[in-house]
């Protein structure tokens, strides 16, 4: 009987309605043994008619999987929805390809949803998005029995399985391209101020740019592009200051609006990208082909990290003793002719 007093359909009733044994019903639903298509259809019809739904906890105790992955993605007021939903969609597609559905947990207090599904045995594994530097979900992941894969890397990744683009390496590549072109000063137009407090990846790319700029002897200026959301006026002001300093090299690690504001500012000065000024988009998760000017890009491809995360979750289920580690995806550089040799 359910909590509201409604009698629950049992597997015995399903077997009786389908005219088969209880074990045949179990085999058909679990896929552990082959069942004829005709018999399977009778069982599925009975399940649908009677509204039978096995208890998730019972399935886990019986050693069966629920074929559901929990995906914790807290939605906050400062969340850039297009970017985050691109990762949610990529995860759902990758999971479906492996025979799993996604239970999306959008609690702003991310730990609450994660604790809830871990305690209920409702999901086979948990995938973690929008990873913060001091992410409270890291401690939960280390304490629950459900395999957990982070799409992102918290500061304390001990004992965790994490997947992400190698943002530090992306920063290195961007600086090297500009330094090799003879530029001695570069401006980094970064994320919003809140992103550097609440997300780990902007810090990592910034660190990569800073370290490589110092190693190559480049002067680096870094500007955030808004407080909680993109501010076009802040982007234009930062770009104007850079141009007034004589900077002719830009790395952009931000959303499409920032790229557009920079390109508009350059055009207003009569500067041509790839001829008068160099621009590289680092770790862009949107289609830069939609921009009015072709730009060299080091892309952040949601499908790459999400597919790897799903594969790792399945592997951890199949190999319970598999060690946890960080998996970094090497960045790729796509040239579009937007880097030009520095003028003397």
């Amino acid at each position: 009987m359910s909590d509201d007093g409604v009698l629950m359909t049992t597997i015995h009733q399903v077997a009786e309605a389908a005219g088969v044994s209880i074990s045949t019903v179990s085999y058909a639903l679990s896929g552990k043994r082959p069942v004829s298509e005709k018999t399977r259809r009778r069982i599925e019809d009975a399940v649908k008619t009677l509204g039978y739904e096995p208890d998730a906890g019972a399935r886990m105790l019986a050693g069966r999987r629920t074929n559901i992955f929990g995906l914790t993605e807290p939605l906050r007021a400062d969340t850039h929805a297009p970017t985050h939903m691109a990762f949610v969609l990529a995860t759902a597609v990758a999971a479906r390809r492996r025979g799993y559905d996604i239970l999306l947990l959008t609690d702003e207090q991310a730990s609450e949803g994660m604790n809830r599904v871990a305690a209920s045995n409702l999901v086979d594994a948990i995938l973690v998005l929008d990873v913060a530097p001091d992410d409270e979900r890291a401690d939960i992941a280390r304490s629950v029995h459900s395999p957990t894969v982070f799409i992102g890397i918290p500061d304390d990744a001990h004992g965790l399985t994490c997947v992400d683009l190698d943002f530090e390496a992306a920063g290195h590549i961007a600086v090297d391209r500009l330094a090799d072109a003879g530029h001695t000063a570069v401006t980094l137009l970064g994320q919003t101020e809140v992103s550097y407090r609440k997300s780990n990846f902007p810090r990592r790319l910034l660190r990569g740019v800073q370290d490589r700029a110092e190693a190559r002897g480049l002067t680096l200026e870094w500007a955030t592009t808004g407080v909680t959301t993109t501010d076009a006026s802040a982007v234009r002001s930062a770009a104007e200051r850079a141009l007034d300093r004589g900077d002719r090299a830009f790395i952009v690690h931000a959303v499409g609006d920032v790229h557009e504001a920079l390109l508009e500012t350059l055009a207003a000065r009569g500067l041509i990208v790839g001829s008068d000024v160099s621009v590289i988009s680092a770790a862009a998760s949107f289609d830069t082909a939609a921009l009015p000017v072709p730009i060299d890009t080091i892309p952040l491809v949601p499908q790459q990290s999400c597919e790897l995360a799903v594969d790792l979750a399945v592997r951890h289920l199949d190999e319970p003793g598999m060690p946890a580690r960080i998996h970094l995806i090497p960045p790729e550089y796509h040239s579009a002719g937007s880097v030009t040799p520095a003028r003397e």
Side-chain angles (χ1 to χ4, degrees), residues 96-152:
R96 188 63 259 161
R97 190 178 295 122
R98 300 299 299 268
Y100 288 83
D101 291 314
I102 288 294
L103 175 62
L104 182 59
L105 309 170
T106 59
D107 311 57
E108 186 167 353
Q109 298 300 320
S111 60
E112 294 180 7
M114 189 170 173
N115 276 320
R116 187 169 62 249
V117 297
S120 68
N121 290 324
L122 181 61
V123 300
D124 294 328
I126 299 172
L127 304 169
V128 181
L129 281 174
D130 195 15
V131 179
D134 56 349
D135 205 302
E136 59 190 4
R137 293 170 294 178
D139 286 337
I140 299 174
R142 284 186 277 259
S143 66
V144 300
H145 71 272
S146 302
T148 303
V149 180
F150 283 67
I151 303 173

Side-chain angles (χ1 to χ4, degrees), residues 16 22 27 34 52 68 79-80 177 194 238 263:
E16 183 178 353
I22 294 173
Y27 296 149
Y52 174 67
I68 299 172
T79 296
H80 185 253
R177 286 280 176 156
V194 71
L263 294 176

Side-chain angles (χ1 to χ4, degrees), residues 5 8 12 31 60 73 86 99 146 171 184 186 193 251 256 262 319-320 328 343:
M8 303 295 289
H12 301 267
M60 291 296 288
E73 161 63 299
S146 302
T184 58
V186 60
E193 291 179 17
I251 298 172
L262 170 63
E319 307 170 36
L328 293 177
R343 295 184 178 181

Side-chain angles (χ1 to χ4, degrees), residues 47-65:
V47 167
K48 183 177 180 180
T49 300
L50 296 174
Y52 174 67
E53 186 145 350
D55 173 72
R59 290 200 299 267
M60 291 296 288
L61 291 173
R64 287 183 53 201
R65 297 182 184 178

Side-chain angles (χ1 to χ4, degrees), residues 243-259:
L243 295 172
D244 289 343
R245 289 193 302 268
D247 292 1
R248 293 295 183 269
F250 294 86
I251 298 172
V252 187
H253 180 215
V255 297
D257 292 350
V258 173
H259 293 69

